[in-house]
Amino acid sequence: MLDAKIPSGPIAEKWSRHKFEIKLVNPANRRKLSVIVVGTGLAGASAAASLSELGYRVKSFCIQDSPRRAHSIAAQGGINAAKNYQNDGDSVYRLFYDTIKGGDFRAREANVYRLAEVSENIIDQCVAQGVPFAREYSGYLSNRSFGGAQVSRTFYARGQTGQQLLLGAYGALMKEVARGNIEMFPRREMLDLVVVNNRAAGIICRNLITGEIERHAADAVVLATGGYGNVFYLSTNAKLSNATAIWRAHRRGAFFANPCFTQIHPTCIPVSGHYQSKLTLMSESLRNDGRIWVSRKKGDTRPPHEIPEEERWYYLEERYPSFGNLVPRDVASRAAKQVCDAGHGVKGGHAVYLDFRDAIRRHGRETIEEKYGNLFEMYERITGEDPYQTPMRIYPAVHYTMGGLWVDYNLMSTIPGLYVIGEANFSDHGANRLGASALMQGLADGYFILPVTIGDFFAGSGPAGIAADDAAFDDVEREVRDRITRLVECHGRRTVDEFHRELGLLLWDHCGMARNRQGLEKALRRIPEIREEYWKNVNVVGSPGTFNQVLERAGRVADYLEFAELMCLDALHREESCGGHFREEHQTEDGEAKRDDDRFCYVAAWEFTDVGAAPTLHKEALEFHEITPAQRSYK
Amino acid sequence: MSEKTMNLTLKVWRQEGPHVKGRFETYAAENISPDMSFLEMLDVVNTRLEQAGEEPIAFDSDCREGICGTCGAVVNGRAHGPLSATTLCQVHMRHFNDGDTIVIEPFRAEAFPIVKDLVVDRSALDRIISAGGYISVRTGEAPEAHAVPVSKRAAEEAMDAAACIGCGACVAACPNASASLFTAAKIIQLAKLPQGNIERRRRAIAMIQQMDKEGFGSCSKHYQCEAACPKGIKVSFITAMKSEYFKALVSKD
Ligand SMILES: Cc1cc2nc3c(=O)[nH]c(=O)nc-3n(C[C@H](O)[C@H](O)[C@H](O)COP(=O)(O)OP(=O)(O)OC[C@H]3O[C@@H](n4cnc5c(N)ncnc54)[C@H](O)[C@@H]3O)c2cc1C
Ligand code: FES
């Protein structure tokens, strides 16, 4: 059994007690300690800035040409916090409760409580940074509702909340760069982790402009590299999002937790053709005012305005009267798949309507425009259709990954000195994340949790004392170079993207919204075959010693081809349905997810053995002292 | 959705590196669906190049949703292509016609050295922000969010400016290659908010000096920047920035 090092005491006191009990590093010693932070999204940028403010010497890395462009920038809808400004009964406890329940009782209570607790500080911090959150005429902050909650606790900045929060964190980061305390390395890709004497000692990167392989040593390494949704090829993630950093760390000894817990977002623009390069999310906030429906008639080819009211099937409102269109994501996605599989989708295909007709009638076009104008514009740009006139067509798409590297209460992985924050860890969302909670978690980890807990590690373990010319760096660098050479010298006939698409489709079919033993076993047979072919038949043009985007993608896809197997294996082993993990064999009579708490009330943390070999399963038992696990109901 | 496809001719700027001479190369883009995005059209062309063992056209992109500011090229003489208030990744091929010739070049400016083909180095923009484009609050120092109310109007105006995605189209569109719109957007966002008030003078001077140091030109009111800006950032911010700057120069603090 894995020990999460959860502090003792009542849940509401754990974090403050822990902060008091852990050891501190004095300011003079902090200056002698260096930390590598990989990633400049909300988690990485906030962590790098906060660590630097404390006096640690920080090296910050990202793939994009500027830290401001990390994938977090794309988050639209908002960020949760238990401020209870609406006086609608919200509290730290309720946010904690909603998150545990929304995660279908597969998250760690102590972490989630802490997350809810620090959520309030996040809003304070961001406002002080100049984040222009939406406000009322009174001058106070506005809120909206998100799925899985009956209170209004989501803060937002038009439809660009992630952008504004990230620019706040990026500002904090650049302030520290200006102070000379953070060294910034954009256009760098971490390709491996260096571990010496069972402690993280640094990373190997590729300079994406020159192709040079670089070594960076530090006293601790923080991975804030985001989620792995792009393993599916098509997802709402940015094109550069990838799994390489966490997968390489996994291969070096960091356990990977619940890799099969992926979130399929219900409201995305449907696939339009084979050339599709990514999918676009339409923010969940739209479900506040938009009504989801399909035709009651199967294979109905009439345009939406010709389908009379009595033939419109508002299936979410019918099936879940108390949450209606605001049921959690996993529930909404599955319902869309079910009605489409049954032939009710738009023109019999894979799309449902998200309709604003009634909202426009009730509130007027202007109000709707003020709330969602930029989202409507984005929809029109992509589809050529005007959502003020005709309902949006939407369908679920891969969006977020709840799984990730296993971390203890201090956010440290199973490799001492290696911390994992943000979407990259398996963290706080259990088997399903509630909307507007990822931004909250990334910033909680980066601003308020990691900067405290990392001190405890340093106070106990001191500096790593390993320089970048250590033999361990030689070995890892050689392996990195060998892999690159193997890729460019393959001279095969299929492009990197062809392989990636093939893998993605396989996973979408068998490890997507619904999973079953037969499908997973099929995927598990097929993945090693694709992987084997990849290393014989991939075509990577261009040279490794230059700016080479094909090579960049080739490395990421090579890692997906290893990681995908673990994902399917995890899905196969978890013989229950919970949250986003829906095993068709395990459902209630009315088609809802059926957990098996007797057998699966644990975090599955996998230890790497070898490529293609069975990983070792370690379990962290989940104990619920506050909230008794129950069948989730949103009816 | 339409089923018809188009055939296009692309004239694309190819340049191996910053110190190598570049040239236009011509490519056929065949069977292009009108529902493709511009970048998906380039993906299709690149796949064909890769299959032929040739190096694909290097171009930057990430979110492909118009928010990260990573993409951008000058298409037929216009930064981000033919649509107003739209990043290149959000331009769809339905805005082109069968048989069109499309000229594609990088964002050109002295302060944006070419990395490869359509990829440029925009790190000068980061250095402008680093000079002062933030409020110097440390983590943990913040007061309760409602301690300082902010008028809805100030919040909205700050948001209008904060919408800048830092893509650099304003620089590419400006005959002087000025970064005034970019710099003004950040200065004005923070000047509008009470939280940003204390540092506003220092900020304006530091950021403007950094902009000059990076080799960006100055603003002589061509206002091509606003026309090219995918987020519709207004040139009135530049006027406001100049006034911030002069106030800062004469002030004593
Ligand atoms: C379209 C969309 C909308 C969303 N909307 C919301 C919302 O409204 N509310 C909400 O709470 N959540 C939302 N989410 C989820 C949320 O945005 C993400 O979970 C969150 O931003 C992840 O932040 P992060 O800091 O963990 O990682 P990211 O922002 O993904 O950043 C990852 C960083 O790591 C770097 N990196 C990755 N690999 C390497 C490597 N090998 N070497 C070097 N650097 C590397 C990248 O360059 C980047 O800087 C949304 C997600 C999407 C896709
Ligand atoms: S790729 Fe992000 S704005 Fe175009």
Side-chain angles (χ1 to χ4, degrees):
Chain A
M1 280 284 172
L2 272 167
D3 178 10
K5 305 209 176 72
I6 297 167
S8 57
I11 191 127
E13 286 166 31
K14 282 183 196 293
W15 178 230
S16 23
R17 201 184 273 199
H18 188 61
K19 279 194 287 188
F20 178 70
E21 283 171 0
I22 60 181
K23 288 169 270 175
L24 300 177
V25 184
N26 80 47
N29 286 341
R30 279 183 231 144
R31 281 196 287 278
K32 294 180 206 146
L33 291 161
S34 60
V35 184
I36 283 173
V37 181
V38 189
T40 60
L42 286 180
S46 59
S50 307
L51 289 169
S52 168
E53 286 167 5
L54 285 170
Y56 296 108
R57 283 181 293 112
V58 176
K59 282 181 168 186
S60 164
F61 296 81
C62 70
I63 292 179
Q64 292 81 1
D65 68 325
S66 163
R68 67 179 287 154
R69 306 200 203 285
H71 165 60
S72 293
I73 199 108
Q76 303 168 349
I79 177 166
N80 287 331
K83 284 284 197 188
N84 193 28
Y85 286 157
Q86 305 302 323
N87 195 29
D88 57 359
D90 201 8
S91 61
V92 166
Y93 202 89
R94 185 176 295 281
L95 175 54
F96 158 65
Y97 174 86
D98 286 349
T99 310
I100 290 284
K101 178 183 168 199
D104 215 357
F105 303 94
R106 289 294 173 264
R108 198 187 278 156
E109 275 191 342
N111 282 51
V112 175
Y113 193 90
R114 173 177 66 186
L115 175 65
E117 216 177 329
V118 302
S119 68
E120 301 185 47
N121 306 78
I122 296 173
I123 302 304
D124 301 342
Q125 188 66 30
C126 297
V127 166
Q129 288 171 342
V131 170
F133 283 121
R135 290 185 182 258
E136 304 294 341
Y137 283 108
S138 61
Y140 295 112
L141 296 159
S142 302
N143 289 120
R144 53 167 66 138
S145 314
F146 256 55
Q150 288 168 312
V151 294
S152 202
R153 63 160 77 96
T154 305
F155 296 78
Y156 62 100
R158 291 194 191 145
Q160 291 122 279
T161 316
Q163 177 197 30
Q164 294 311 315
L165 296 175
L166 183 62
L167 292 181
Y170 158 77
L173 176 83
M174 295 315 275
K175 157 177 76 72
E176 295 301 300
V177 169
R179 263 195 342 122
N181 215 38
I182 294 184
E183 208 180 337
M184 185 67 231
F185 296 90
R187 289 211 201 258
R188 298 296 196 293
E189 181 160 8
M190 166 185 163
L191 294 179
D192 220 328
L193 178 76
V194 182
V195 181
V196 183
N197 302 329
N198 193 33
R199 174 172 172 171
I203 60 173
I204 303 288
C205 294
R206 182 165 177 272
N207 177 325
L208 300 180
I209 295 192
T210 62
E212 278 165 288
I213 304 298
E214 303 174 343
R215 304 166 171 207
H216 298 274
D219 298 305
V221 175
V222 179
L223 298 185
T225 50
Y228 50 84
N230 274 351
V231 66
F232 288 87
Y233 189 75
L234 286 182
S235 84
T236 62
N237 289 11
K239 291 295 282 178
L240 300 175
S241 297
N242 71 92
T244 287
I246 51 174
W247 182 250
R248 291 280 128 194
H250 173 62
R251 292 188 44 144
R252 298 277 168 204
F255 294 180
F256 209 119
N258 301 335
C260 80
F261 287 174
T262 50
Q263 176 164 82
I264 316 276
H265 196 292
T267 54
C268 304
I269 301 179
V271 174
S272 76
H274 63 278
Y275 47 79
Q276 191 92 30
S277 60
K278 72 156 292 189
L279 294 170
T280 302
L281 172 79
M282 288 284 107
S283 169
E284 174 159 318
S285 59
L286 292 169
R287 288 200 270 146
N288 271 299
D289 288 295
R291 297 180 69 193
I292 294 178
W293 62 275
V294 289
S295 172
R296 290 194 187 272
K297 211 171 103 190
K298 292 183 183 185
D300 194 341
T301 53
R302 287 174 291 178
H305 61 270
E306 284 176 19
I307 303 177
E309 194 56 29
E310 60 280 7
E311 289 177 41
R312 295 180 177 201
W313 182 18
Y314 297 94
Y315 57 90
L316 286 178
E317 294 172 26
E318 239 175 74
R319 200 163 147 188
Y320 306 100
S322 62
F323 280 71
N325 292 297
L326 282 173
V327 291
R329 293 174 174 175
D330 53 335
V331 176
S333 291
R334 236 166 2 248
K337 178 177 164 31
Q338 282 161 1
V339 296
C340 290
D341 287 351
H344 293 280
V346 175
K347 303 209 164 114
H350 283 99
V352 302
Y353 290 119
L354 176 62
D355 198 342
F356 291 86
R357 183 195 65 186
D358 296 350
I360 293 173
R361 276 188 198 155
R362 197 167 52 242
H363 305 295
R365 180 178 161 135
E366 216 166 277
T367 310
I368 297 301
E369 202 168 322
E370 191 189 321
K371 274 187 170 164
Y372 310 114
N374 64 320
L375 296 171
F376 277 39
E377 255 174 63
M378 178 144 92
Y379 181 84
E380 184 168 1
R381 275 204 193 99
I382 293 174
T383 61
E385 296 165 2
D386 175 6
Y388 293 103
Q389 304 297 333
T390 179
M392 288 183 176
R393 290 173 297 111
I394 52 158
Y395 197 68
V398 175
H399 177 59
Y400 181 87
T401 53
M402 283 76 67
L405 292 184
W406 185 88
V407 288
D408 63 14
Y409 187 76
N410 292 321
L411 304 180
M412 190 162 87
S413 71
T414 50
I415 301 176
L418 178 72
Y419 287 79
V420 191
I421 59 176
E423 193 175 337
N425 71 22
F426 87 105
S427 84
D428 306 346
H429 308 292
N432 173 58
R433 174 175 70 79
L434 292 183
S437 285
L439 303 182
M440 168 172 74
Q441 182 229 328
L443 291 179
D445 289 359
Y447 283 133
F448 298 110
I449 300 169
L450 174 87
V452 178
T453 57
I454 205 170
D456 191 43
F457 170 74
F458 284 135
S461 311
I466 305 289
D469 56 6
D470 190 274
F473 278 85
D474 292 342
D475 293 343
V476 181
E477 182 180 329
R478 192 175 327 108
E479 285 175 41
V480 166
R481 285 183 186 281
D482 288 350
R483 256 167 75 82
I484 292 176
T485 311
R486 274 178 67 202
L487 283 170
V488 292
E489 289 182 353
C490 204
H491 301 300
R493 286 213 303 272
R494 291 180 70 192
T495 64
V496 174
D497 282 5
E498 269 176 76
F499 282 102
H500 195 176
R501 279 201 171 92
E502 183 181 357
L503 176 70
L505 207 58
L506 185 72
L507 294 176
W508 179 243
D509 286 345
H510 301 300
C511 199
M513 267 187 283
R515 299 140 181 208
N516 60 48
R517 168 169 291 279
Q518 206 189 358
L520 288 164
E521 283 174 346
K522 184 174 165 197
L524 283 166
R525 278 193 305 275
R526 187 66 194 126
I527 295 164
E529 291 168 6
I530 306 177
R531 185 170 61 227
E532 197 177 323
E533 191 199 340
Y534 187 77
W535 285 101
K536 286 189 190 131
N537 198 24
V538 71
N539 177 21
V540 181
V541 295
S543 100
T546 57
F547 186 86
N548 186 337
Q549 293 169 314
V550 184
L551 176 60
E552 288 172 29
R553 290 201 300 273
R556 294 169 201 153
V557 173
D559 288 335
Y560 290 140
L561 285 166
E562 296 178 7
F563 166 68
E565 214 175 339
L566 183 66
M567 201 167 110
C568 293
L569 204 80
D570 184 47
L572 183 64
H573 119 280
R574 191 169 279 277
E575 288 190 50
E576 64 162 351
S577 293
C578 54
H581 171 64
F582 191 73
R583 280 287 300 265
E584 286 170 342
E585 303 94 322
H586 304 277
Q587 46 183 308
T588 61
E589 267 165 27
D590 45 1
E592 303 294 339
K594 193 167 154 198
R595 286 198 324 269
D596 184 344
D597 291 334
D598 291 338
R599 291 171 63 211
F600 291 100
C601 196
Y602 62 77
V603 176
W606 300 93
E607 181 182 5
F608 182 80
T609 53
D610 202 352
V611 178
T616 311
L617 175 63
H618 299 264
K619 296 178 183 174
E620 177 199 335
L622 290 169
E623 288 167 23
F624 292 91
H625 299 290
E626 293 294 321
I627 304 171
T628 316
Q631 153 91 37
R632 279 193 314 168
S633 170
Y634 293 94
K635 295 223 160 164
Chain B
M1 276 182 283
S2 45
E3 273 89 61
K4 276 201 310 243
T5 61
M6 307 180 271
N7 293 325
L8 307 156
T9 305
L10 309 185
K11 289 195 180 339
V12 185
W13 186 259
R14 303 297 309 257
Q15 181 171 338
E16 261 108 77
H19 309 296
V20 189
K21 250 185 91 172
R23 71 214 174 269
F24 279 106
E25 293 279 350
T26 305
Y27 302 98
E30 283 159 354
N31 298 321
I32 298 302
S33 156
D35 290 323
M36 282 181 190
S37 70
F38 194 88
L39 300 187
E40 283 169 346
M41 181 275 291
L42 286 180
D43 289 341
V44 167
V45 172
N46 273 347
T47 301
R48 287 173 201 160
L49 287 173
E50 277 178 58
Q51 281 161 347
E54 288 175 51
E55 275 205 48
I57 302 157
F59 68 91
D60 266 333
S61 77
D62 195 12
C63 73
R64 298 200 174 192
E65 295 190 358
I67 191 71
C68 71
T70 307
C71 70
V74 173
V75 173
N76 291 340
R78 288 188 62 176
H80 285 304
L83 299 193
S84 68
T86 306
T87 55
L88 190 58
C89 58
Q90 293 292 86
V91 172
H92 282 69
M93 296 312 291
R94 63 182 79 94
H95 302 288
F96 293 88
N97 299 310
D98 189 33
D100 278 359
T101 295
I102 307 176
V103 182
I104 312 171
E105 300 166 80
F107 282 174
R108 293 183 199 275
E110 209 179 285
F112 289 172
I114 289 183
V115 173
K116 186 172 183 175
D117 300 342
L118 305 175
V119 178
V120 297
D121 175 355
R122 291 170 289 196
S123 54
L125 299 181
D126 285 323
R127 291 188 290 274
I128 294 176
I129 297 296
S130 189
Y134 40 77
I135 291 167
S136 304
V137 57
R138 293 164 48 104
T139 304
E141 283 177 338
E144 212 298 317
H146 273 180
V148 186
V150 178
S151 77
K152 185 176 168 75
R153 183 158 162 201
E156 292 293 326
E157 285 173 352
M159 184 61 220
D160 287 341
C164 167
I165 58 172
C167 63
C170 48
V171 176
C174 175
N176 306 343
S178 169
S180 288
L181 193 62
F182 168 84
T183 309
K186 187 48 79 181
I187 289 177
I188 300 308
Q189 175 204 337
L190 298 177
K192 290 278 178 203
L193 298 169
Q195 290 84 359
N197 203 29
I198 291 167
E199 295 173 281
R200 70 196 284 177
R201 302 214 150 73
R202 198 187 60 81
R203 175 182 309 119
I205 293 179
M207 289 180 72
I208 290 170
Q209 282 177 350
Q210 188 66 34
M211 172 175 82
D212 293 341
K213 210 158 93 188
E214 295 292 343
F216 292 105
S218 55
C219 171
S220 49
K221 301 192 181 167
H222 289 276
Y223 296 157
Q224 296 294 323
C225 52
E226 183 178 309
C229 177
K231 296 292 137 180
I233 309 281
K234 297 270 178 290
V235 289
S236 57
F237 292 131
I238 300 182
T239 322
M241 169 177 78
K242 286 181 179 165
S243 128
E244 282 288 314
Y245 185 63
F246 289 120
K247 273 190 235 155
L249 285 180
V250 298
S251 91
K252 293 262 161 16
D253 39 88

